[in-house]
Structure formats: structure tokens, C-alpha cells
Amino acid sequence: MMDNKDLEAEIHPLKNEDRKSQENLGNRLKNEDNLKSTPPQTRLSRCRTVAFFLSLFTCLFVVFVVSFIIPCPDRPESQRMWRIDYNAAVTYDFLAMEDINRDRIQDVVFLYKNTNSTDNSNQSCADEGFSSPCAFVAAVSGANGSVLWERPVAQDVALVDCAVPRLSDGKSSACVLVGRPSSLTAVDLLTGETLWSQPSSFGGNASVLSPLLQVPDVDGDGAPDLLILTREATQVSGYIYSGSTGRQIGHRGSLGVDGDSGLLLHVTRTGAHYILLPCASSLCSFSVKGLYERVTGRESPFKRDPLWESMLNTSATRQLLHSSGAVRYLMSVPGKSGQDLLLVSSEACVLLDGQELTPRWTLGEVQVMRKPILGHYKPDTLAVVIENGTGTDRQILLLDLGSGAVLWSQALPSFPGGPPSASLPTADHRSAFLFWGLHELASTNEMEPRVAQHSLYMFHPTLPSVLLELVNISAHIIAFDALLFEPSRHAAYVLLTGPASPSVPGLVSVTKHKVRDLVPGSRVIRLGDGGPDSDQAIRDRFSRLRYRS
Ligand SMILES: *[C@@H]1O[C@H](CO)[C@@H](O)[C@H](O)[C@H]1NC(C)=O
Ligand SMILES: *[C@@H]1O[C@H](CO)[C@@H](O)[C@H](O)[C@H]1NC(C)=O
Ligand SMILES: *[C@@H]1O[C@H](CO)[C@@H](O)[C@H](O)[C@H]1NC(C)=O
Ligand SMILES: *[C@@H]1O[C@H](CO)[C@@H](O)[C@H](O)[C@H]1NC(C)=O
Ligand SMILES: *[C@@H]1O[C@H](CO)[C@@H](O)[C@H](O)[C@H]1NC(C)=O
Ligand SMILES: *[C@@H]1O[C@H](CO)[C@@H](O)[C@H](O)[C@H]1NC(C)=O
Ligand SMILES: *[C@@H]1O[C@H](CO)[C@@H](O)[C@H](O)[C@H]1NC(C)=O
């Protein structure tokens, strides 16, 4: 017996140990009658094996499901270029971008006035009670240019803003249109449905000052409210409308000043809201609190800033400061502590502290006829692009926003009133800049017949002595913008072309073009003594530019 057992133990050492431990256990559990037929250790290892294979199979199954059965989320195919046309229409200097169909590609919103309502839409002016022609809002897919929605909104449009947050969810937004004559309409940006439409109460001869301003909720419905200023016979008046219903709050409030378009709503560092408006060679201002109290006769939730009030108190005409030359543009720009103000007058460009209104820097001897744009020349450092002069005397200047120093300048003749510039953020924390100019850079003599050809030039700060001529356009350009259609990729420009005169209908086109696709066919223009790089090497560097959101 012993021999056999030992022999067996030699042959099956583990089994023997199992048995021993089983015996031990058996001894320990002698009194308990819940002994099962399988030894617990074996059961445990079997469990382990089963668990191991089970988890292995689960893993493999998940890998299989993920890689073969569940399809990848469809990345919508984005066309590199698309174009849509409207015959016999006119268009407005307005473009807005927003992801309307939620495909994570920006879509394009624009306005046109159609003489014939049957072009692309089955809705006619008469459906909405307008006579033909009337103004339509259209939203087209940024991916392929297909029309998402379009609808008649007004007889004619005076002012439009497509970034008005909606009450319901705060995510989607509305387009608010000030129509001529006297209508105020909000359209859901996602569906094109009319949210509300009200008659406006502006005087018959009043001109609406741009832009539309949004003030924090005053009627307590949770949506920002709308502030519209009009000018009639050298008097500026303010109107406040509810952002969620379009109903007027209070009545007309006179500001007691004259002023021009180019309004800005500025919040001082003490949290007080002020309307800034260019008034001849001064900057005029009015507190939103004062205007609210004037239109409603009630106390308002807004604040006044003691410093600003004392500045305004010394002037009967509510002038904040005098500038050399007529004030043309006002811009809110990020400063070291809060928002600063960039003030562009007909003779100078001044950066003002957003609270004290003291100049941080002044660049004199410039004639800026176009609103500046911002971009990055040095990594992560804001630069401002201004155009000095117009027509054949135009010069592009890139200024350091912090100091006003000229970083780069280049003569770039253009047509008066040519399209604006644009900037695109690149992955190296700088920007690519797009400028429009006349085709022939070097010789701009008037010898050649005026074949009005605009050229789009691209510039990147890492190649400061090179401009790339991307494309020539001979159509009349109404609006232009460049942006990233998808996060971190797909930089493209959108061009709205149409008849120069709003009274002569013609071909209206909206075109999207991917910027990178234009680089291989572009013309390299060397501004200084060209570097050693060949033209192809320069194009390759522009092709390799990565864009970021
Ligand atoms: C408007 O459209 C109709 C048919 O759709 C056409 O017969 C007419 O000529 C068009 N009018 C204009 C001005 O294009
Ligand atoms: C025409 O408009 C109606 C709504 O007014 C819509 O239901 C219909 O689908 C539209 N048809 C086409 C072809 O766009
Ligand atoms: C355009 O893209 C949308 C999705 O973004 C798609 O629904 C539509 O069918 C496309 N149209 C064309 C003409 O490809
Ligand atoms: C508009 O201006 C014209 C003259 O420019 C004047 O005859 C007319 O009475 C004005 N209308 C209103 C409503 O003020
Ligand atoms: C502004 O002037 C009025 C009198 O013209 C005075 O009552 C008021 O206190 C002044 N406000 C400030 C902030 O200086
Ligand atoms: C702006 O242009 C004018 C006229 O061409 C020129 O005299 C002036 O120096 C320019 N300003 C700057 C800052 O370059
Ligand atoms: C623009 O047109 C000119 C001639 O009119 C041509 O030399 C140039 O290459 C064109 N540029 C581009 C980018 O096509």
C-alpha cells in the first residue's frame, strides 16, 4: 500500500499534494457535511482557466466587433471646392459660418435678393407676404454646397446678425434681421424657421446703424436682448427689443448725440456696459444703464462706471475723447487685463486702455479705410493688420498689438473697396494671412486695360519675403472670409460674388475653395532678394502648413 502510494506520488506529485491538502482540508472540515465531489483547488484553477478564456474571448469579441461589425462613424466627405449660382439676383455684404447640419463641418449662411423666386427654392416672396424681388436667407452645407434651407425673410435687409443665442438651449443660435421697411425678424439658424417677426418702430427716414448690439437679458426671460441704434437728422436713438419675442421694451430713447455706424458695446473693468459710437472726430459713449432707464423709465440691473461717468460729465455731447481725424473703426481687442480698445481714425491708429482710455501706443500718419483684422505674426502674440491708403497707394502693415511696432509692411495695390483680408491660425501658433490685391504687383501703371482682376495673396510670417499668388478672380467680390471648416484641418475660403450695383440683378455665386489645393498652381512672388529656395520648395512649405482651431 505505502509503496504504491509513494510510487503514485512520484508519478503524480501534484495529485499527491492535492490529495494531502484534500486530506488536511477533509480533516478540518470533518464535521461539515458540505464536502463536494471535486477538490476545491482544482475547482479554483478550473475557474481561473474559465475566467481567463472567457475574458480572452470577450476581448477578442470586442476587438472583432469594434473593427469589423460596428462601422466607423461616417466622416462626411468634404468636397475641396464647390460653387452655387443664382441667376438674376443681387447679394449683400454678409457671410456667416456655423455648423448647421451638425456634421462638424462649418456651413455657410448668406443673403440674396432674388428677382425670380423659382431659382432654387420653392418658396416665393408672396408666400411670406413680400412683393418680388425680396431678400432670402440661405444656408448651404460647407461639405458639398447643397442647400440646407432658404427662405424669404424681408423685402430688403438693412442689418443682420447670425450669432444671437437662443433662449431654449443656449447652443443653437438665431439670425436676427432688420428689414426694410420696418421689420424685425429672427430665424432659427438650424432650421430656417421664423422664430418671431415684429414690425420695427424706427422712423421712416431713420438709417439703422451697424452692427446690431446684444445686451445682457433685461426682461428676465433668460435670453440676451437686442439693442438697435438709428440715426435720423443728426440724432441717434436707441431701441431695445426682447431677444426671445422681438417685442420692443419701453419706447425710443434719444441719446442726444450724432454718430455713425461702427458701434461697439464695451464692458469696463468694473462691469459697466457702454455703447461706443464714432461721432465725427470724437468717440462718443452712452451707458446702457442710462439708455435702459430712458426707454423704460425703470431702474435697471446695469452699472455705471464712476470714472467713465466723470469723463462723460465734462462733455455735453457725451464725448469720451477727441481723436485726430474722424473716427472710422472701433475694435475690442484682448489686453493685459481685460479688453482694450483699438481706435482707428482717418489719421492714426491708437490702442486705448479699456478702462482708463489712455493711449498705450499711437501709430500716426496712416490712412486706414478698412476695419483692421487680427492674427499672429510671432507665435502666440497678437498682431493687427491694417491697410494704409487705398487703391494703387495701398500698403499692408502688420503691427504688434502690444507695442504698435511695425512687424512687416508691403505695398499691395488694390481696387478701392476691394475685399477684406483674412487670417488663418497655423499649428506653429502663428497665422497665415490672405490679402487681396491687383494682379500685377510690380508694375501698376494704368497702361493696361482695366480687366478688373483681383488676386488673392497668401503670406506666412516664417517666409517674410515671399507672397504666394493663389488665385485670380475677375468677378465682383461682395464678401470674403477664410476659416477652418473642420477643427484643426481643412482651411478654406468662401467667396460671395455678385453684381456691383444692387439695382442691376446678375449672377450671384458662393464658392468654397480649399486653400491647400491652390498652392501647387500658385505663383511665387519674391518681395526682397529671394532666398535660396526654389519656387517649388516654397510651394511645398506652404503646402505643409498645418492649421489649428
Ligand atoms: C422667372 O422664372 C420664369 C419661369 O420659372 C421664367 O419664365 C422667367 O423668364 C423668369 N424671369 C426672370 C426675370 O428671370
Ligand atoms: C417645398 O416646400 C414645402 C414646404 O413649403 C416642402 O414641404 C416641400 O418639401 C418643398 N419641396 C421641394 C421640392 O423643395
Ligand atoms: C451633401 O452633404 C449632405 C451631408 O452633409 C448630404 O446629406 C447630401 O446628400 C449631400 N449632397 C450632395 C449633392 O452630395
Ligand atoms: C423724410 O425726409 C424727407 C426729405 O428728405 C421729408 O420730406 C419727409 O417728410 C421725411 N419723412 C419723415 C417721416 O420724417
Ligand atoms: C455729473 O454731473 C451732474 C451735474 O451736471 C452731477 O449731478 C453728477 O453727480 C455728476 N456725476 C458724476 C459721476 O460726476
Ligand atoms: C502710410 O502711407 C502714407 C502715404 O503712402 C505714408 O506717407 C506713410 O508713411 C505710411 N505710414 C506708415 C506707418 O507706413
Ligand atoms: C493670374 O493671371 C496671370 C495672368 O493674367 C497669370 O500670369 C498668373 O499665373 C495667374 N495666377 C494664378 C494663381 O493663376
Side-chain angles (χ1 to χ4, degrees):
M1 268 288 273
M2 276 298 279
D3 280 351
N4 271 351
K5 205 176 179 179
D6 280 348
L7 198 70
E8 210 187 290
E10 268 171 21
I11 296 168
H12 303 291
L14 287 174
K15 203 170 173 183
N16 196 32
E17 263 186 35
D18 277 355
R19 193 163 296 163
K20 272 180 189 164
S21 60
Q22 186 209 344
E23 274 164 17
N24 289 344
L25 257 173
N27 288 340
R28 269 197 273 135
L29 305 171
K30 216 174 225 162
N31 302 335
E32 300 169 20
D33 50 358
N34 61 347
L35 271 174
K36 288 183 190 134
S37 55
T38 23
Q41 285 279 318
T42 321
R43 225 172 61 216
L44 205 69
S45 66
R46 251 189 230 159
C47 274
R48 274 203 204 116
T49 314
V50 167
F52 171 74
F53 279 108
L54 223 102
S55 48
L56 186 68
F57 282 127
T58 319
C59 279
L60 286 176
F61 183 70
V62 167
V63 168
F64 175 74
V65 164
V66 166
S67 48
F68 297 110
I69 297 177
I70 299 176
C72 285
D74 245 353
R75 205 179 176 101
E77 191 61 31
S78 197
Q79 287 176 15
R80 296 155 167 268
M81 187 267 177
W82 52 252
R83 167 185 174 138
I84 56 169
D85 291 338
Y86 291 84
N87 296 311
V90 293
T91 187
Y92 300 79
D93 179 3
F94 169 76
L95 278 174
M97 316 293 164
E98 172 99 22
D99 181 10
I100 290 168
N101 54 2
R102 299 288 187 242
D103 61 357
R104 302 205 288 146
I105 302 174
Q106 297 291 302
D107 304 308
V108 181
V109 181
F110 62 98
L111 298 170
Y112 64 90
K113 189 172 178 181
N114 213 346
T115 49
N116 210 344
S117 56
T118 54
D119 242 17
N120 288 336
S121 153
N122 74 358
Q123 286 188 312
S124 69
C125 296
D127 291 348
E128 303 282 333
F130 306 119
S131 63
S132 190
C134 66
F136 285 72
V137 187
V140 297
S141 156
N144 58 22
S146 63
V147 175
L148 300 172
W149 55 261
E150 56 188 338
R151 64 178 301 117
V153 283
Q155 199 62 58
D156 198 3
V157 174
L159 202 59
V160 55
D161 181 359
C162 277
V164 181
R166 280 197 54 192
L167 174 64
S168 51
D169 49 9
K171 263 192 229 140
S172 65
S173 40
C175 287
V176 173
L177 299 107
V178 180
R180 264 192 296 252
S182 71
S183 75
L184 193 62
T185 307
V187 173
D188 187 321
L189 198 50
L190 297 191
T191 61
E193 277 159 33
T194 303
L195 297 168
W196 47 257
S197 186
Q198 303 273 353
S200 66
S201 41
F202 316 137
N205 283 348
S207 58
V208 181
L209 300 185
S210 67
L212 193 78
L213 301 176
Q214 291 175 39
V215 289
D217 183 25
V218 292
D219 58 357
D221 59 7
D225 294 312
L226 308 168
L227 174 55
I228 298 174
L229 298 194
T230 64
R231 176 174 191 252
E232 188 169 8
T234 73
Q235 277 293 316
V236 172
S237 305
Y239 301 80
I240 301 178
Y241 292 90
S242 161
S244 56
T245 63
R247 265 200 296 278
Q248 191 177 357
I249 298 169
H251 42 79
R252 183 176 77 98
S254 173
L255 268 61
V257 295
D258 192 6
D260 286 314
S261 283
L263 311 170
L264 188 69
L265 189 72
H266 183 74
V267 186
T268 67
R269 259 161 235 158
T270 57
H273 289 73
Y274 281 83
I275 305 160
L276 299 176
L277 69 163
C279 49
S281 55
S282 305
L283 180 61
C284 291
S285 178
F286 207 91
S287 70
V288 174
K289 182 182 177 73
L291 179 65
Y292 181 82
E293 288 168 0
R294 206 168 271 196
V295 301
T296 61
R298 290 199 303 267
E299 269 297 300
S300 82
F302 295 104
K303 283 190 200 161
R304 280 197 174 94
D305 186 295
L307 177 70
W308 282 47
E309 286 301 319
S310 66
M311 283 190 278
L312 288 171
N313 233 7
T314 55
S315 144
T317 50
R318 309 209 54 90
Q319 293 174 355
L320 266 185
L321 55 93
H322 258 287
S323 93
S324 53
V327 177
R328 291 222 174 92
Y329 306 102
L330 291 169
M331 262 173 93
S332 196
V333 295
K336 286 189 194 79
S337 47
Q339 296 294 105
D340 284 343
L341 279 171
L342 185 66
L343 184 143
V344 178
S345 75
S346 57
E347 281 160 27
C349 194
V350 189
L351 183 73
L352 298 167
D353 179 276
Q355 176 64 26
E356 319 275 328
L357 294 177
T358 47
R360 291 191 189 276
W361 52 258
T362 302
L363 181 75
E365 310 217 344
V366 284
Q367 296 236 320
V368 184
M369 307 294 280
R370 154 116 44 222
K371 190 167 180 174
I373 64 157
L374 298 177
H376 294 90
Y377 185 88
K378 296 177 189 160
D380 291 322
T381 313
L382 272 178
V384 52
V385 182
I386 60 170
E387 298 180 15
N388 181 21
T390 52
T392 49
D393 292 328
R394 184 183 73 155
Q395 180 192 24
I396 305 268
L397 296 173
L398 264 71
L399 312 177
D400 182 71
L401 185 64
S403 66
V406 177
L407 299 168
W408 184 81
S409 75
Q410 174 60 39
L412 191 60
S414 79
F415 295 111
S421 306
S423 69
L424 286 164
T426 51
D428 59 359
H429 297 252
R430 300 175 211 252
S431 299
F433 295 90
L434 298 171
F435 308 117
W436 288 92
L438 284 179
H439 163 59
E440 272 305 324
L441 252 188
S443 63
T444 51
N445 46 18
E446 306 288 313
M447 304 279 276
E448 294 178 27
R450 297 269 292 199
V451 202
Q453 217 172 41
H454 295 275
S455 295
L456 179 60
Y457 297 96
M458 186 175 184
F459 169 76
H460 194 262
T462 50
L463 291 166
S465 60
V466 171
L467 276 184
L468 216 55
E469 186 185 76
L470 292 179
V471 69
N472 296 321
I473 305 275
S474 50
H476 181 77
I477 299 169
I478 306 277
F480 163 77
D481 202 0
L483 73 155
L484 288 174
F485 269 74
E486 290 168 78
S488 299
R489 44 189 266 161
H490 195 157
Y493 74 73
V494 180
L495 200 60
L496 180 61
T497 60
S501 158
S503 56
V504 185
L507 177 68
V508 168
S509 295
V510 185
T511 314
K512 181 197 98 165
H513 225 302
K514 197 169 172 178
V515 169
R516 187 172 294 152
D517 288 351
L518 296 167
V519 172
S522 64
R523 192 163 69 97
V524 175
I525 297 163
R526 293 168 194 272
L527 304 172
D529 294 331
D533 290 351
S534 70
D535 285 4
Q536 194 49 47
I538 288 170
R539 282 192 206 102
D540 289 346
R541 281 187 65 178
F542 274 94
S543 285
R544 280 198 302 270
L545 278 182
R546 297 265 168 266
Y547 302 91
R548 75 189 157 94
S549 315

